[in-house]
Amino acid sequence: MAYPPAARSSPPRQPSVKVILASADVQRVVDRIAHQILEKTQGAADTVLLGIPTRGTPLARRLAARISTFEDVAVGVGVLDITLYRDDLRRQGTRAVGPTELPPGGIDGKRVILVDDVLFSGRTVRAALDALNDVGRPASVQLAVLVDRGHRELPIRADYVGKNIPTSLAESVKVTLAETDGVDEVKLYGGSPS
Amino acid sequence: MIKHLLSGADLDADTATEILDTAAEMATVAGREIKKLPALRGRTVVNLFYEDSTRTRISFEAAAKRLSADVINFSAKGSSVTKGESLKDTALTLQAMGADAVVVRHPASGAPHRLANWVDGSVVNAGDGTHEHPTQALLDAYTMRARLGRLAGLSVAVVGDVLHSRVARSNVLLLSTLGAKVTLVGPPTLIPVDIAGALAPATAVSYDLDSVLPNVDVVMMLRVQRERMNDSYFPSAREYARRYGLDGPRMRRLPEHAIVMHPGPMNRGMEITPEVADSPRSTIVEQVTNGVSVRMAVLYLLLGGNNR
């Protein structure tokens, strides 16, 4: 009697990793956003950049530095911690609260640009808008992100986008920055192996 | 994070530091126009007070409200407790009402521990008998860190009625965990034998305030409970004030940077003179302000996640 050949076990699939932006690309993208901010705000007067921790903070600082290089204008920079405003606080263990630091002069009457690394569901930005409400009354609020990966769950869009990356929900986007992780890079994890 | 806060001994150095760091962030809310955060929206905090304490109850109430929690104040006076309801039945009632946290003040040492076995929510000890008062110790530690920049290596004298003081006990436990050296000072009748060794081995005991003062960074005066003044713990109120009261000349023997603390309420002229209490070295008013921030941090860290 002939036995069917044993099913050949396929090698375990390695999750695919794709570098979307390398270090030089990240710098170019930051420069471009800085130029766009200057163009759209007509000189970035009365503008404050607020980074959303973790990686929004160094991005906001870089943008402010580039803006002052390009136009010789000093832009206020701060940090907006959104931990206590998240809508998923009860779904996870307790999250550590971080500092909120506003630039001298606060944000009242200013044009505030929120800065984050990845725009995904929009819930982080919603929390940031709530947090902003409690620390002052800006004249207007804009949003700058390094990467927009889609899949919005709220009606939120960014004013400045470094790179649009169409993703599936099975994929994840990971941004690393020199200040927090030692290297500037944007990687896409979990897509179909190329 | 821990589920209950019943004793200063519940906190290891990392957890205690996390609470103090979180309190520092919470303190920034007090400076805002809108002193409110949404973190505990939909949660219910019950203040269950079997003893009168306006200061602590209001502090917890303000903390819970600033975090948007619903607050129910339950005081034993005029409640079903006077009709004979037991602590356990009260606990089960609170449970049925969906209390997420119970802040309890009770004249019996150990009552919060018992309560923690009966309710699903978190229990915070807001003072039990002569046992402990951990959030007071946390706010004291926060105040020391804010004024002196550190806790590790600090030398702290806790002066007065250690025997009856839950504040002293919680402070010895917490400050030792955080690396400060505590010396308990008072008449021998008010310092239980071997309390230092039982609480934290590095704790020292002295019966002579004047010899301790030149070497400390912090002097924490405890309230002398007036109701005990005529007991035989010490000869008279005047005698006590002369040997263990902090007055101007004694304060000037402290190092330049040293601070004076008191958990309140004070007996002015007894353990502390008005000159000392109102001096720039005194942190008594700051301690009250810091109490709200620290209690916000404790409630947030106990209730902010799904840690149950």
Side-chain angles (χ1 to χ4, degrees):
Chain A
M1 187 180 167
Y3 291 95
R8 207 184 290 163
S9 60
S10 56
R13 274 194 167 187
Q14 295 292 324
S16 76
V17 184
K18 202 166 152 189
V19 177
I20 306 284
L21 296 175
S23 176
D25 302 326
V26 172
Q27 288 181 37
R28 266 194 294 276
V29 165
V30 170
D31 284 358
R32 198 179 69 237
I33 298 177
H35 280 299
Q36 286 173 346
I37 290 174
L38 281 167
E39 195 178 326
K40 191 166 176 177
T41 60
Q42 296 177 339
D46 277 337
T47 299
V48 167
L49 298 177
L50 289 185
I52 300 173
T54 312
R55 291 178 186 79
T57 309
L59 277 176
R61 295 213 172 95
R62 283 194 203 185
L63 282 170
R66 298 310 282 158
I67 287 171
S68 64
T69 308
F70 297 149
E71 286 273 322
D72 199 22
V73 56
V75 180
V77 193
V79 182
L80 186 68
D81 185 70
I82 59 148
T83 311
L84 297 166
Y85 296 85
R86 300 184 71 104
D87 59 8
D88 61 350
L89 269 180
R90 287 201 201 182
R91 293 173 175 227
Q92 309 194 15
T94 315
R95 293 166 185 266
V97 181
T100 288
E101 292 160 11
L102 300 183
I107 58 164
D108 288 351
K110 303 276 173 66
R111 178 191 298 109
V112 169
I113 303 180
L114 297 171
V115 183
D116 204 0
D117 55 351
V118 180
L119 179 58
F120 181 27
S121 65
R123 288 174 189 268
T124 300
V125 177
R126 184 214 55 80
L129 290 170
D130 278 357
L132 208 53
N133 231 1
D134 281 0
V135 295
R137 189 183 180 280
S140 65
V141 184
Q142 299 178 351
L143 175 63
V145 294
L146 190 66
V147 172
D148 183 350
R149 64 162 292 191
H151 303 289
R152 216 73 79 241
E153 293 166 8
L154 297 168
I156 282 169
R157 64 165 186 82
D159 300 86
Y160 312 98
V161 179
K163 188 164 179 67
N164 282 296
I165 305 177
T167 59
S168 80
L169 279 170
E171 292 167 320
S172 65
V173 174
K174 176 80 181 155
V175 173
T176 53
L177 293 174
E179 294 90 332
T180 47
D181 315 280
V183 62
D184 287 345
E185 222 166 34
V186 178
K187 286 180 174 170
L188 180 68
Y189 289 82
S192 54
S194 50
Chain B
M1 185 63 194
I2 52 173
K3 184 179 174 189
H4 307 293
L5 180 57
L6 304 173
S7 158
D10 290 346
L11 303 170
D12 58 24
D14 287 346
T15 312
T17 307
E18 187 187 6
I19 294 175
L20 299 183
D21 290 345
T22 307
E25 300 305 330
M26 297 295 182
T28 62
V29 176
R32 292 189 195 166
E33 204 173 315
I34 300 167
K35 298 176 180 55
K36 195 101 170 164
L37 293 165
L40 297 186
R41 215 174 50 191
R43 303 265 176 159
T44 303
V45 176
V46 175
N47 286 328
L48 180 60
F49 276 60
Y50 285 84
E51 263 185 0
D52 295 336
S53 168
T54 314
R55 184 183 303 248
T56 306
R57 188 184 58 72
I58 289 178
S59 183
F60 270 107
E61 187 172 347
K65 284 183 171 169
R66 282 190 187 170
L67 291 169
S68 303
D70 296 319
V71 182
I72 298 173
N73 287 315
F74 180 103
S75 96
K77 264 186 201 154
S79 75
S80 46
V81 173
T82 53
K83 299 176 192 164
E85 187 176 75
S86 71
L87 179 62
K88 183 170 185 178
D89 288 330
T90 305
L92 295 176
T93 306
L94 300 176
Q95 175 95 320
M97 287 179 181
D100 295 294
V102 181
V103 176
V104 60
R105 156 77 56 106
H106 202 285
S109 302
H113 282 82
R114 299 292 293 141
L115 194 66
N117 294 326
W118 295 323
V119 295
D120 287 338
S122 296
V123 175
V124 181
N125 182 357
D128 60 334
T130 58
H131 179 226
E132 285 221 44
H133 194 357
T135 57
Q136 176 72 39
L138 281 164
L139 79 87
D140 290 338
Y142 180 91
T143 307
M144 288 176 211
R145 201 177 72 161
R147 274 282 189 119
L148 301 169
R150 70 197 161 97
L151 285 166
L154 284 187
S155 180
V156 181
V158 178
V159 185
D161 184 359
V162 175
L163 177 65
H164 300 103
S165 174
R166 48 197 174 208
V167 175
R169 249 165 275 266
S170 287
N171 261 297
V172 169
L173 289 166
L174 183 73
L175 290 172
S176 306
T177 304
L178 291 169
K181 184 180 181 303
V182 183
T183 305
L184 299 171
V185 185
T189 46
L190 289 175
I191 299 187
V193 176
D194 201 32
I195 183 177
L199 288 173
T203 308
V205 170
S206 170
Y207 306 122
D208 179 12
L209 179 59
D210 289 309
S211 68
V212 171
L213 287 180
N215 305 313
V216 294
D217 305 295
V218 180
V219 190
M220 187 184 295
M221 304 307 295
L222 301 173
R223 185 172 75 88
V224 179
Q225 301 171 20
R226 279 181 182 275
E227 59 273 20
R228 271 185 270 276
M229 272 185 194
N230 294 324
D231 277 359
S232 50
Y233 293 110
F234 43 84
S236 70
R238 257 178 77 187
E239 165 80 3
Y240 180 91
R242 201 172 59 77
R243 293 209 55 191
Y244 295 103
L246 193 61
D247 56 10
R250 274 212 172 99
M251 179 176 70
R252 283 183 274 283
R253 250 174 270 157
L254 287 165
E256 262 317 282
H257 66 276
I259 57 171
V260 177
M261 306 181 74
H262 194 299
M266 290 179 277
N267 295 310
R268 283 177 182 257
M270 177 77 183
E271 70 265 5
I272 193 164
T273 61
E275 181 192 354
V276 178
D278 301 330
S279 77
R281 283 166 179 249
S282 155
T283 62
I284 297 165
V285 180
E286 277 162 66
Q287 285 171 267
V288 178
T289 309
N290 295 341
V292 178
S293 307
V294 162
R295 286 166 181 135
M296 284 172 79
V298 167
L299 289 175
Y300 167 67
L301 292 171
L302 291 179
L303 297 179
N306 63 349
N307 311 332
R308 55 191 61 194

